[in-house]
Amino acid sequence: MINSHKIYGLLGYPLGHSFSKNYFNDKFAAEGIDAEYINFEIPSITDLKEVLDDHPELSGLNVTIPYKEQVMPYLDALDPEAEAIGAVNVIKILRGDSVDDDDFELIGYNSDVVGFRNSLSPLLTPERKKALILGTGGAAKAVRQGLISLGVEPVYVSRTAREGMLTYDDLTPEVMAEYKVIVNTTPLGMYPKVDACPPIPYEYLTPGHLLYDLIYNPDVTTFMKKGRTHGAEVKNGLEMLLLQAFESWRIWNM
């Protein structure tokens, strides 16, 4: 007899407080869904096979730092958008009828881009047509794709000099005046290190700037506080997280 109970989970390291775990388990309880959501805090992406082998009811995974890019070689197929972004944060697990533990297919998707795009769109103005992306990891790649789809020209800001990117030392008054959208995709300022923030020249911010922080814990990061001091509009990543969770559920059940 096939077990109807399903397991979903979050793959990452470290995980700490997980919005996804609470969100999905509350959803399952409220809607009477026979499922549970588990945190899989694995120290190496090579432990993914053990997770899959030990949980035959596993039907889907979310992926977070540091595995959004590392997980890709372990997948059987990629959604075109995830392939274009170069990062995966949702895995759909298709299992066959065989009792063989290896009888499954892993398909990678990216729901970050949908969540970010739909969250940012209402905040764009005619002067907000260029964006600085702080960080260059998997989340940054999804943000870049989302910005491009909204007609906003993005450029990465990295700690080290690389072709096609700016460094924090390159953020002159002229650059800051030109790029009115600034998106923090780094973990700087995330709980418990709430006093940290990206080293941008905050003194050049204006009420025309938008500071968008993918961090949602704390609700108001130091990055956002410094932006508000200079009149900039600010937004945290909670709505994006909710929207990408909706999209994850849609992907797992389509």
Side-chain angles (χ1 to χ4, degrees), residues 110-157:
N110 194 302
S111 66
D112 278 341
V113 66
V114 174
F116 175 73
R117 181 173 61 224
N118 293 348
S119 176
L120 180 73
S121 179
L123 305 177
L124 294 179
T125 63
E127 65 177 337
R128 293 173 177 170
K129 285 299 183 184
K130 291 188 176 183
L132 300 174
I133 303 172
L134 310 182
T136 58
K141 291 180 177 181
V143 164
R144 180 180 182 276
Q145 189 78 3
L147 288 166
I148 291 171
S149 71
L150 291 169
V152 179
E153 180 185 329
V155 63
Y156 290 121
V157 180

Side-chain angles (χ1 to χ4, degrees), residues 35-135:
E36 64 179 312
Y37 194 99
I38 300 172
N39 280 352
F40 296 107
E41 191 173 51
I42 58 174
S44 170
I45 193 60
T46 58
D47 297 322
L48 174 59
K49 186 179 188 306
E50 184 177 348
V51 169
L52 294 164
D53 290 344
D54 290 349
H55 299 86
E57 308 99 329
L58 193 59
S59 298
L61 286 165
N62 287 123
V63 185
T64 189
I65 296 170
Y67 299 133
K68 291 185 179 185
E69 296 160 294
Q70 293 182 36
V71 77
M72 294 178 70
Y74 293 82
L75 306 178
D76 298 296
L78 286 172
D79 173 76
E81 189 160 55
E83 187 171 18
I85 294 167
V88 163
N89 78 313
V90 182
I91 299 173
K92 183 172 184 175
I93 303 171
L94 299 177
R95 294 188 181 272
D97 297 327
S98 169
V99 294
D100 185 349
D101 287 342
D102 293 327
D103 187 23
F104 56 78
E105 184 179 8
L106 306 179
I107 306 174
Y109 297 83
N110 194 302
S111 66
D112 278 341
V113 66
V114 174
F116 175 73
R117 181 173 61 224
N118 293 348
S119 176
L120 180 73
S121 179
L123 305 177
L124 294 179
T125 63
E127 65 177 337
R128 293 173 177 170
K129 285 299 183 184
K130 291 188 176 183
L132 300 174
I133 303 172
L134 310 182

Side-chain angles (χ1 to χ4, degrees), residues 106-225:
L106 306 179
I107 306 174
Y109 297 83
N110 194 302
S111 66
D112 278 341
V113 66
V114 174
F116 175 73
R117 181 173 61 224
N118 293 348
S119 176
L120 180 73
S121 179
L123 305 177
L124 294 179
T125 63
E127 65 177 337
R128 293 173 177 170
K129 285 299 183 184
K130 291 188 176 183
L132 300 174
I133 303 172
L134 310 182
T136 58
K141 291 180 177 181
V143 164
R144 180 180 182 276
Q145 189 78 3
L147 288 166
I148 291 171
S149 71
L150 291 169
V152 179
E153 180 185 329
V155 63
Y156 290 121
V157 180
S158 174
R159 289 173 296 179
T160 55
R162 283 185 269 179
E163 187 176 353
M165 299 184 187
L166 298 175
T167 68
Y168 288 97
D169 290 338
D170 294 326
L171 302 182
T172 62
E174 293 76 20
V175 170
M176 295 293 287
E178 185 178 359
Y179 291 84
K180 289 295 199 297
V181 179
I182 305 174
V183 186
N184 177 36
T185 72
T186 78
L188 290 170
M190 185 184 297
Y191 180 85
K193 298 180 181 179
V194 297
D195 292 331
C197 62
I200 67 169
Y202 294 92
E203 64 270 23
Y204 302 138
L205 295 174
T206 69
H209 281 88
L210 167 65
L211 270 58
Y212 191 113
D213 202 331
L214 266 57
I215 294 171
Y216 60 91
N217 184 17
D219 291 338
V220 182
T221 61
T222 300
F223 173 72
M224 294 165 63
K225 289 176 184 175

